[in-house]
Amino acid sequence: MQNLSQVLAASATPESLQSVLNITISTCVDISNALKKGSLAGILGMAGNENVQGEEQKKLDVISNDMLKDALLACPAVRAIASEEEDDIVPAHTDGEYLIAFDPLDGSSNIDINAMVGTIFSLYRQTGDNPATEQDFLIQGKEQVAAGYVLYGPSSMLVLTTGKGVNMFTLDPDTHTFLLTRENVQVAQDTQEFAINMSNQRFWADSMQNYVNNLVAGKNGSRNKDFNMRWVAAMVGDVHRILCRGGIFIYPWDNKDPSKPGKLRLMYEANPMAMLLEQAGGKAHTHTQRILDIQPEAIHQRVAVILGAANEVDKCLSY
């Protein structure tokens, strides 16, 4: 069974990119170990401050962010980092080759109930003569050179693409290494399973309400088939389920808060997950365009997300 380093080397991944990925993923192993200690290490609960999005931070949000930040800033191949938990980008090495954006702990509201959380990351290759700025990060998602996540569940799993398909790895707790357990993941084109936060239904556009109402109506509605609904409340968990057994995940545009018509962050969540889904044969859109074609306007920009089984994404968009 191949480990991560062997798979990266066999796929001719540049050594500099391998170094950034190995450091990122090694740090995720440390985050996984910290999560396992939970209350025993006094790391659960609130940190007592808010992030740049105005969300109250959990202790583990801060801890995992600091772990990744410290490790990546020490890597010579990293030019700069951007984190969901940082107000601004953090320059690293001017002669570095890669920009990395990450959500250090997606789904942190699940931490205190011992439910699924994960780390999501996205890499771009960019060089320059001057220290990196926020403007350098405003790159379309289709320019990503790698994207992935580590899911901290009953077993810790890494899902990764370097633009040559999607592979899944499982963390061996004895050797602390990720071993390849599933190659060339493909998402079925059709599905009977959807993930959406139904508590927000009253804030959605009429077209989205109509689409979801038809899913709920099942065989009694126009779709003429029954659908199941699942909702993990952590994008990393819902996307992992889609990559494993199919489905569609939707966090639509809504009018709940006019200043935040989209919930999910383009740079830290939507772009990396869109790359993974497209590499696995699925689709990823907002209600108006392909996610990977969006020209970012700010590092903390939010967008609507519709991703998963290609035919079901098309059906949703047809509304």
Side-chain angles (χ1 to χ4, degrees):
M1 191 175 290
Q2 290 181 298
N3 62 32
L4 173 64
S5 296
Q6 291 169 329
V7 172
L8 291 175
S11 63
T13 303
E15 289 187 8
S16 55
L17 179 55
Q18 288 186 49
S19 69
V20 181
L21 288 170
N22 282 324
I23 287 172
T24 302
I25 294 160
S26 176
T27 307
C28 289
V29 174
D30 295 335
I31 293 172
S32 175
N33 291 333
L35 282 164
K36 289 177 183 176
K37 295 179 182 178
S39 295
L40 300 176
I43 56 176
L44 302 187
M46 309 309 295
N49 49 283
E50 295 182 346
N51 64 16
V52 67
Q53 287 88 24
E55 300 164 335
E56 194 170 2
Q57 291 175 307
K58 299 276 189 175
K59 290 179 183 177
L60 268 168
D61 282 323
V62 177
I63 292 169
S64 55
N65 181 69
D66 288 347
M67 291 169 71
L68 283 163
K69 179 180 176 181
D70 292 345
L72 289 166
L73 291 180
C75 176
V78 173
R79 186 160 185 251
I81 68 168
S83 168
E84 183 178 315
E85 302 300 331
E86 297 282 337
D87 291 358
D88 303 303
I89 71 112
V90 183
H93 305 273
T94 302
D95 58 350
E97 295 180 54
Y98 296 97
L99 305 175
I100 179 167
F102 56 85
D103 180 351
L105 206 61
D106 179 66
S108 58
S109 62
N110 284 340
I111 293 171
D112 291 342
I113 61 168
N114 202 30
M116 278 194 284
V117 293
T119 297
I120 309 172
F121 54 88
S122 167
L123 286 97
Y124 300 81
R125 187 178 187 278
Q126 189 196 77
T127 58
D129 298 326
N130 299 310
T133 66
E134 177 174 333
Q135 188 64 36
D136 292 314
F137 275 88
L138 304 184
I139 305 170
Q140 291 175 309
K142 62 187 177 184
E143 301 299 326
Q144 292 172 105
V145 295
Y149 62 80
V150 174
L151 177 70
Y152 310 113
S155 58
S156 290
M157 295 193 68
L158 163 68
V159 179
L160 178 68
T161 181
T162 57
K164 301 175 182 177
V166 177
N167 290 326
M168 290 186 178
F169 303 78
T170 302
L171 181 63
D172 183 340
D174 296 325
T175 63
H176 303 291
T177 56
F178 277 102
L179 302 178
L180 180 64
T181 48
R182 188 175 170 189
E183 293 184 77
N184 193 30
V185 175
Q186 291 291 301
V187 174
Q189 302 293 290
D190 296 292
T191 186
Q192 289 181 249
E193 193 165 86
F194 70 102
I196 196 167
N197 185 352
M198 290 291 288
S199 67
N200 289 328
Q201 184 170 11
R202 65 193 184 278
F203 302 112
W204 302 336
D206 290 343
S207 54
M208 181 58 68
Q209 296 202 42
N210 291 338
Y211 168 72
V212 174
N213 285 338
N214 283 338
L215 298 183
V216 174
K219 288 183 177 178
N220 297 327
S222 62
R223 299 298 302 276
N224 198 33
K225 67 177 181 179
D226 290 329
F227 286 80
N228 291 322
M229 192 187 87
R230 298 288 183 267
W231 183 250
V232 176
M235 186 186 190
V236 66
D238 283 306
V239 169
H240 188 72
R241 184 183 58 254
I242 290 171
L243 288 170
C244 288
R245 71 183 195 201
I248 185 171
F249 169 87
I250 309 169
Y251 216 119
W253 174 93
D254 65 44
N255 60 13
K256 183 177 182 180
D257 181 347
S259 68
K260 300 175 183 177
K263 167 72 174 178
L264 301 174
R265 286 77 175 178
L266 175 63
M267 304 298 296
Y268 315 114
E269 296 165 317
N271 271 342
M273 294 308 199
M275 183 179 184
L276 286 168
L277 259 296
E278 289 199 4
Q279 285 288 314
K283 290 188 175 182
H285 283 247
T286 68
H287 56 299
T288 58
Q289 69 181 117
R290 178 186 180 224
I291 287 174
L292 295 182
D293 288 336
I294 297 173
Q295 176 58 53
E297 298 176 359
I299 58 170
H300 297 300
Q301 180 176 343
R302 297 172 186 254
V303 295
V305 171
I306 303 167
L307 60 75
N311 290 343
E312 192 60 37
V313 170
D314 287 341
K315 187 69 174 178
C316 180
L317 294 173
S318 74
Y319 280 69

